[in-house]
């Protein structure tokens, strides 16, 4: 089944891959984004349009007579869901990106309670879509994504929607490249990395091309459902850091810390979590026939090369405002002086 596809957020990390996958599958794709323009890896025939999805009138005009499937990579909350529903008379079905940040454990712990005493959630392994979620509301990223999900699922008769609960998205063109933590260290000639929680943290990654494969399959099989989106394996943070080293041809000494980071800027990484979060992908396999198109190990060389090329252009804070803001708010990702002080004090 193919026809017309409309992609909101087409210039982003996931949108680029999804446009490519849909077009290769025979869909006539319109790629919509705030910046407009295309991608050199898209096949000929992809139509591009510049539109800000917050402008409903402009979005409706860009949709024109409508589409068979609409992919929304940037929908955030109930307001965005209602906007899509207002256009449902010209959309056959939708695929919408949600997040694994919606989950909470049996004690009500979730992503938002990570920093509180005993706040780190202990999810079932692997984590199924039937696990509880946070209550919907405007308070946090996770609660707003639940608003989005519930609003769309409640109107499944008007707009069949597949919600993809993505893990830690990785790949090129990322606004939050977690690999930056290790790539910059390698380029700086930093010979050591310190990893809290024994380097055993697992935060299930999903490459943008694997998200795109789920989009492709869901587009061909419309329905109202939620599905996890993850890579075939969930490597530990120690395995991720070693994979980045191999991609760049360097070797770093790893110092492991049992337990949490001993200081805000020592031992923590964007992949570090107190307890593992590993997604169950069996529902996607059963319902859609999902088979991942890549693994973390196979995909990371391209990501590392892209980051190295980007870092050669300008200061990392200017290139990646989101990680720069997180680093400023929660502890410098590259505080080598504090790390050296801790290493010296602990004889490491």
């Amino acid at each position: 089944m193919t026809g017309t596809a409309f992609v909101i957020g087409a210039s982003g990390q996931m949108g680029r891959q999804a446009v490519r996958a849909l077009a290769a599958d025979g869909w006539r794709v319109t790629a919509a984004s705030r910046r407009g323009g295309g991608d050199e890896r898209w096949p000929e025939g992809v139509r591009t349009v510049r539109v800000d999805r917050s402008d409903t009138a402009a979005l409706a005009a860009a949709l024109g007579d409508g589409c068979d499937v609409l992919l929304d990579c940037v929908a955030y909350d109930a307001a965005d869901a209602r906007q899509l529903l207002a256009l449902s008379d010209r959309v056959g079905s939708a695929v919408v990106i949600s997040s694994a940040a919606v989950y909470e454990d049996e004690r009500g712990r979730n992503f938002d309670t990570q920093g509180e005493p005993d706040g780190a959630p202990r999810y079932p392994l692997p984590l199924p879509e039937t696990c509880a979620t946070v209550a919907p509301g405007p308070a946090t990223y996770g609660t707003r994504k639940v608003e989005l999900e519930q609003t769309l699922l409640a109107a499944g008769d008007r707009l069949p929607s597949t919600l993809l609960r993505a893990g830690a998205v990785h790949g090129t063109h990322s606004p939050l490249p977690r690999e930056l933590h290790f790539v910059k260290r390698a380029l700086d000639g930093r010979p050591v990395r310190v990893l809290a929680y024994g380097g055993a943290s697992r935060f299930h990654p999903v490459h943008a091309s694997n998200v795109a494969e789920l989009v492709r399959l869901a587009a061909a099989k419309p329905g109202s459902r939620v599905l996890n989106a993850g890579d075939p394996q969930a490597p530990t943070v120690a395995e991720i850091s070693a994979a980045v080293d191999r991609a760049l041809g360097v070797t770093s000494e790893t110092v492991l810390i049992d337990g949490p980071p001993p200081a805000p800027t020592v031992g923590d990484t964007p992949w570090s979590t107190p307890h593992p979060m590993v997604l169950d992908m069996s529902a996607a396999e059963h319902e859609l026939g999902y088979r991942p198109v890549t693994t973390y190990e196979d995909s990371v060389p391209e990501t590392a090369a892209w980051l190295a090329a980007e870092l050669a252009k300008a200061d990392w804070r200017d290139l990646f405002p989101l990680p720069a803001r997180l680093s400023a708010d929660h502890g410098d990702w590259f505080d080598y002086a504090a790390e050296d002080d801790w290493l010296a004090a602990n004889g490491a």
Side-chain angles (χ1 to χ4, degrees), residues 144-208:
R144 294 176 77 176
K145 282 290 191 180
V146 172
E147 275 191 336
L148 169 74
E149 290 186 359
Q150 293 187 0
T151 303
L152 288 173
L153 293 173
D157 56 334
R158 293 169 55 194
L159 181 62
S161 300
T162 298
L163 285 302
L164 297 178
R165 291 175 176 169
V169 184
H170 63 103
T172 59
H173 302 287
S174 172
L176 179 60
R178 292 174 174 84
E179 289 76 14
L180 173 66
H181 183 87
F182 300 116
V183 170
K184 186 177 186 308
R185 296 172 75 89
L187 297 178
D188 289 344
R190 186 68 180 167
V192 63
R193 52 176 170 253
V194 181
L195 302 177
Y197 308 114
S201 295
R202 288 196 292 165
F203 182 13
H204 204 137
V206 60
H207 191 266

Side-chain angles (χ1 to χ4, degrees), residues 1 3-7 22 27 63 66-71 90-95 215 218-220 222:
M1 174 182 173
T4 55
F6 190 93
V7 177
L22 289 167
W27 293 86
L63 263 175
C67 62
D68 294 305
V69 64
L70 181 147
L71 167 64
R90 64 182 82 180
V91 176
S93 68
V95 184
V215 169

